Amino acid sequence: MKTNSATELRRAFIRYFEEHGHQAVPSASLLPQADPTLLFTNAGMNQFKRVFLGEDTRVYTRAVSVQKCLRAGGKHNDLENVGYTRRHHTFFEMLGNFSFGDYFKEDAIVFGWEFLTHTVGLTKDRLWVTIFREDDAADRLWRKIGVPASRIARCDEKDNFWQMADTGPCGPCSEIHFDQGAVVPGDDRPNGEGDRVIEIWNLVFMQYNRDVSGALHPLPKPSIDTGMGLERLAAVAQGVHSNYDSDLFTPLLTAIAERAGMEYGKKDVSDRSMRVIADHLRAVTFLMTDGVLPSNEGRGYVLRRILRRAARHGRLLGIVEPFLHELTASVVSQMGGAYTEITRAADTITEATRGEEERFIATLDQGLPILNEMIEKTQAAGQSVLTGGDVFKLYDTYGFPMDLMAEACREQGMTIDEPGFDAAIEEQRTRARKTGGFEQDTARPAVAELAQRIGATQFIGYDRLESDALLRAILKGEQLVKEAREGDEVEVALDATPFYPEGGGQVGDRGTLSGPEGLMDITETTRPAPMLILHKGTVRQGRIREGERLHLTVNASTRQDAARNHTATHLVHAALRDLLGPHVKQYGSLVGPNRLRFDFAHFRPLSSRDIDEIESTVNEEIRKNEAVSTEVMSIQDAVAKGALAFFGDKYGEQVRVVSVESFSKELCGGTHCRQTGEIGLFRILSETGVAAGVRRLEAQTGSGAYNQIKTLESEVRQLSDLLKVGQSEIVVRTRKLLTQLKDKERELEDVKLKMAGGAAAASTLKTIAGVSVHVQRTDGLDGTAMRTLADQLRDKMKSGVIALGAEVEAGKVSLLVVVTKDLIGRLKAGELIKPMAVEVGGTGGGRPEMAQAGGKDASRLDAALEKVFSLVETVLQR
């Protein structure tokens, strides 16, 4: 190998295994879309999990990949160790080669040894091998390729037996370790104390299946799963003793050091902070690229913790303003060659990072001084534990993150009273439950009993709006009845139905059920249990009976309108992702016959240009009249074909994929148009924020959009008539009128000000201990005008105190006190105005030279103004 750079190591790894018959497979997303058991992709084998379980197949039996991974939540969480050790990371790259029932131990061992010793060029006598204590086959194979027995260590299950879960595929593993030499503290054998001998590659031999009793059974096709961290390999290959000293991190650390105005490698404390920032910058960049934005839950919360932890360490380096967003460019520059997707998302990453930094700085500015004071008081008292109550107060009042408090304490040799904090949290929750009067939702017993008794309802409505079906049960309130008569409001269950039940954001169908003796109007269709569909409505005439054959007719108009809106949400989603970036994710939707609502992840309001572009893109797809196709397939095949699927959503073995040509592909169970042209027209009504990082679009399609345009046209005609101009002149005329109105408002304020100034002669002016005090009522003036008048009076007086008061709307009072600069050493406006405000039932304050106050009792305004004389006299006599 010509070079041992990280870039060349990546290439060499792929190249070596391709030469040995492996299919190079691109890295999967950090979001394991087809595996809701994982928060993040944390190993190279994640994307092949179902292959190893025998639930999926690939066209190849050998694979090689460089997988981006994240360990910062759930079972695998290295976050707290990052920066404090040489080798822990949140984001990292895992090199792996895999065999799906093809080669086994011998080839895996030969490949591993040859790549490390020949391709990378590691010294053989510095390598160790560990094997499972009972794996004699592995022992023989390692010896066969020349590893001496003295460099092979047998270990127990803890270190050398791997399993995917409590049951399922498992097997012994063999790890390759590297001795960094005596310069690194630690034992001179694998799995000891310290970092001298570190693991670099784990070869897992999946040869057993563990059953529920714990017994091991040989697999018919043993497989291979390996994993090697690029960060450790780069450090070892480059002869450095810390991952952070490899070329994966040195460019980042240099950029961070320059931004902080210091040098890396000089001080342990600052070095640790720079390592944290370097690691976290990589995690932030790759998480945002894969569509995660900071939030208060799930993956977004993990990202927020990572980003805020990095920002806090910036504070420890003396950086008080937002800076991380500037440094994400360094990650993009360094890693963009291997992962082109981060280059495309660069602008999104910068903007989202800056926004989160600014929010966090506000939190830190409020909370850090309080936390530091808490720590100082605790230390002064000779204690080393912050009380749970104090910690909770800071957390609850200022939103200060618990993990950052714990880390700040850790740096001072202190801890947090976590049980006390947990108790305070629980007490707050209890109070909230009592105050809010929330009750635990419980399943309706009648529905649960019905679902168990009659089983599943078959939905047959994707391609039809009418059918015949057997009436299997009638639910009146919470009672099962045999028949329902005219006027009865009931819910009915059938063996099959074309009525779409509410779900996936789409409202349920409406329509009619007709039988031999009666007719029922259906106003709502629901799925109260996983397999049960209920039709709610009122018997309009006659009666219906359990066991009858009924004819079902879905309201075609409302179904088609809902389908238009549902297909439009898919087009909107695709348009948003194209325009704003891959971080856009659907957070919820409402699809009804009359409108659609679409909530999505984004970090700022959309501009009018953005809204116009989205509306234009969707309407262009409508005009193309593209086919809307559906296909049922496995979740794995759907994800492999590019269908959008999201963590936290529950998917069965078979899923329904809705595609609009090459523009959109999503997992969806709803009803849709057959061609985009059926949507007719798309109009965005509004764009608003509903939560931090979540925006909402509301829109209409078809006749709803057309009617909205007609309403706007009618309003334009009315404006044209009111303004007595042609429709094309409305904007020009309105602007002219607004300018005239503002001019008149200014003229009115000037008149009020002159009148108030002219009333100065009627004002009260007294000299107290040589200080002029001017008091005046200024009813009719707003706060701005009062300040302008005070400035005029101050210029005339040169020296003195001015107190103005005005009655404003609804009997409220506005007060203003001004003290000239030559007197603020003796008199302060803020001190004078507070007792005046109390007089009128209000509060106030301000700077020494000017203070303002408000009050609720206008009847006491004259008394409040008169009070300033005695206040000035009292202060001057001190």
Side-chain angles (χ1 to χ4, degrees), residues 792-811:
Q792 293 175 356
L793 293 171
R794 182 177 54 198
D795 292 342
K796 289 180 182 178
M797 292 175 64
K798 305 299 182 186
S799 176
V801 175
I802 301 161
L804 306 179
E807 181 178 353
V808 291
E809 74 279 355

Side-chain angles (χ1 to χ4, degrees), residues 222-241:
S223 298
I224 293 294
D225 162 27
T226 83
M228 173 166 54
L230 177 63
E231 291 73 14
R232 290 196 194 183
L233 178 63
V236 167
Q238 293 167 24
V240 294
H241 301 136

Side-chain angles (χ1 to χ4, degrees), residues 463-483:
D463 56 2
R464 69 183 79 175
L465 296 178
E466 291 189 46
S467 71
D468 291 330
L470 176 68
L471 178 54
R472 303 193 63 188
I474 303 172
L475 194 61
K476 187 175 182 180
E478 295 302 301
Q479 299 294 319
L480 285 170
V481 296
K482 294 295 183 181
E483 68 174 30

Side-chain angles (χ1 to χ4, degrees), residues 275-320:
R275 287 194 296 269
V276 169
I277 294 169
D279 172 274
H280 289 8
L281 276 170
R282 295 183 354 138
V284 166
T285 299
F286 278 88
L287 279 171
M288 288 186 178
T289 296
D290 281 355
V292 182
L293 288 178
S295 69
N296 287 326
E297 59 185 14
R299 290 168 171 162
Y301 179 66
V302 174
L303 172 59
R304 172 164 283 168
R305 286 186 64 197
I306 292 172
L307 203 155
R308 291 188 167 192
R309 188 169 187 258
R312 179 179 170 274
H313 277 275
R315 276 290 178 103
L316 297 179
L317 295 175
I319 307 174
V320 297

Side-chain angles (χ1 to χ4, degrees), residues 349-409:
I349 296 165
T350 299
E351 191 170 352
T353 302
R354 182 198 292 116
E356 182 64 18
E357 281 187 279
E358 290 171 349
R359 285 188 289 272
F360 184 51
I361 283 172
T363 297
L364 285 180
D365 286 341
Q366 289 181 304
L368 267 180
I370 300 171
L371 175 61
N372 292 334
E373 183 180 349
M374 287 164 51
I375 290 174
E376 289 171 5
K377 286 183 177 179
T378 303
Q379 290 175 328
Q383 299 174 349
S384 61
V385 180
L386 282 187
T387 66
D390 287 342
V391 171
F392 172 75
K393 191 178 298 182
L394 185 56
Y395 167 85
D396 188 50
T397 305
Y398 297 98
F400 204 89
M402 176 69 169
D403 55 309
L404 293 191
M405 284 189 266
E407 187 164 358
C409 288

